[in-house]
Amino acid sequence: MSEALVASTALAADSSAARASGARQFWRRLRAQRAALVAAAVVALLVLVALAAPLLTAIEGQDPTTYHPSLVDSARGGVPVGPLGGIGAGHWLGVEPQTGRDLFARLVYGARVSLGVALAATLVQVLIAVVVGVAAALGKRWVDQLLSRITEIIVALPLMIMSLALLAIVPGSFPRPVLVALVIGLIAWGTLAKIVRAQTLTLKQLDYVAAARLSGWGTWRIARRDLLPGLAAPLITYSALLVPANIGVEAALSFLGVGVKPPTPSWGQMLTAADVWYQAAPQYLLLPAGALFVTVLALTVLGDGVRVALDPRAASRLRVGTGRRSEAKADASTDTPAGGADLPRQDAGTPPQGTAVPRPGAPADETKEATA
């Protein structure tokens, strides 16, 4: 028993060192991808704008809910007065048709709602998927069968239809952004749970996990100490791709009228109100649509970069800015022996030097001598 414990401790230390080295390689590969770095900068800027929304609107001197009827032309149906939708020193992006509410204030506060709902929904999805996936992989056969069937049912459910049904029956007094995040998270965790279960089944076969089991560690202690660190890479990869998908779902639900309710600003809600103003006030439609496009694109590119950095064997879906050439050069330089001398190159399928190759159609005796 003591030998198994010593082996488990040694293997765990080796795995910790390997994870530290893997983290350095991950950052090196991520920095080699220019598109991912640009996307990370855009995402960081969007998060900063969302967090600093009260400060930015205070500098502008506006807020997202105050009406300005004097800034719209009621004789023309509520079109903003002035050029470019009323853009000026007091309203940096103009005003909203009919109401006169400041567009800049509503846009930055809408970023808080859209990003906050997407991140909260992703967190709920990850928590449920980890619990269900690990329990299915480590539990008894009937537990695995039960949780697997539940997961398949969740995967088969249509997300938008179920979200519409759940959001329609909940009382309006419940905080709407929290409700939208919970509904998305509680319905869309099935695919991630299947990934977690498959990865946990693979990790169970590793030597250090077997040694920890032989040393007498409990199932959940092994899961906490040995399995969860191994699940970090696939969880980070898939979570980075879930955030833009959840932003799109929140915008679609708000566009359909069952998401975030007025007066709370949301990009999807702004698109809903702007569908009749795209000719008279095009900026009212283009601003939230452009913000959604840039956010989803940046998060998608960043997620692809994280996926490639965590798994260098995976090819990037992007054509430019991936840094694959510089990454290959960096990997080649680390593989070159000390002193700068390259090893003799051996092509695949070519026998080593000094090996006799039998002639095609040679007698059996000659073939045996050549291969001896």
Side-chain angles (χ1 to χ4, degrees), residues 21-347:
S21 176
R24 290 192 296 269
Q25 292 179 4
F26 166 76
W27 289 115
R28 178 176 59 83
R29 295 191 187 104
L30 188 62
R31 289 195 302 268
Q33 302 181 70
R34 295 184 298 275
L37 292 180
V38 173
V42 173
V43 172
L45 179 62
L46 289 170
V47 172
L48 182 62
V49 168
L51 294 176
L55 177 62
L56 294 174
T57 53
I59 294 174
E60 188 194 24
Q62 303 294 335
D63 62 81
T65 57
T66 301
Y67 284 56
H68 300 92
S70 61
L71 299 179
V72 296
D73 188 355
S74 57
R76 298 173 56 196
V79 177
V81 176
L84 301 176
I87 293 178
H91 300 277
W92 296 347
L93 296 179
V95 296
E96 186 180 56
Q98 287 189 325
T99 64
R101 292 180 294 191
D102 185 74
L103 272 183
F104 175 78
R106 294 187 65 78
L107 198 67
V108 295
Y109 271 92
R112 305 184 88 187
V113 173
S114 296
L115 291 174
V117 168
L119 292 173
T122 303
L123 180 61
V124 173
Q125 289 172 292
V126 170
L127 291 176
I128 297 176
V130 169
V131 172
V132 174
V134 173
L138 299 181
K140 296 181 180 180
R141 184 178 180 84
W142 68 268
V143 176
D144 186 15
Q145 292 292 330
L146 176 62
L147 293 178
S148 297
R149 298 296 83 76
I150 294 175
T151 302
E152 291 175 359
I153 293 173
I154 293 296
V155 171
L157 291 176
L159 174 59
M160 292 302 298
I161 295 177
M162 293 300 300
S163 300
L164 289 171
L166 292 176
L167 291 171
I169 62 177
V170 177
S173 58
F174 197 91
R176 209 65 180 184
V178 178
L179 177 61
V180 174
L182 287 176
V183 168
I184 296 175
L186 292 174
I187 295 176
W189 54 266
T191 303
L192 184 56
K194 297 178 72 173
I195 295 174
V196 171
R197 175 184 175 274
Q199 186 69 16
T200 305
L201 289 175
T202 302
L203 293 174
K204 280 176 57 177
Q205 311 302 323
L206 298 181
D207 293 339
Y208 69 91
V209 177
R213 189 182 300 111
L214 290 174
S215 65
W217 286 11
T219 301
W220 294 111
R221 185 181 180 185
I222 295 175
R224 186 179 69 254
R225 296 285 299 272
D226 295 329
L227 297 180
L228 289 181
L231 293 173
L235 284 176
I236 292 173
T237 301
Y238 201 79
S239 299
L241 298 175
L242 277 177
V243 175
N246 290 336
I247 288 179
V249 173
E250 184 277 328
L253 292 174
S254 298
F255 181 80
L256 294 174
V258 294
V260 178
K261 299 292 185 181
T264 304
S266 169
W267 291 345
Q269 180 194 114
M270 294 174 69
L271 288 173
T272 304
D275 59 350
V276 297
W277 294 99
Y278 63 91
Q279 291 183 340
Q283 80 283 351
Y284 188 33
L285 175 66
L286 294 178
L287 286 174
L292 270 174
F293 174 78
V294 171
T295 303
V296 173
L297 178 62
L299 286 169
T300 303
V301 173
L302 179 59
D304 182 82
V306 170
R307 180 182 64 86
V308 174
L310 289 171
D311 185 6
R313 295 171 299 179
S316 175
R317 300 186 182 95
L318 302 177
R319 295 294 183 184
V320 295
T322 57
R324 300 292 289 177
R325 292 184 178 179
S326 58
E327 180 185 336
K329 291 180 180 178
D331 291 339
S333 63
T334 57
D335 294 339
T336 303
D342 294 335
L343 294 175
R345 184 173 180 179
Q346 185 69 39
D347 294 334

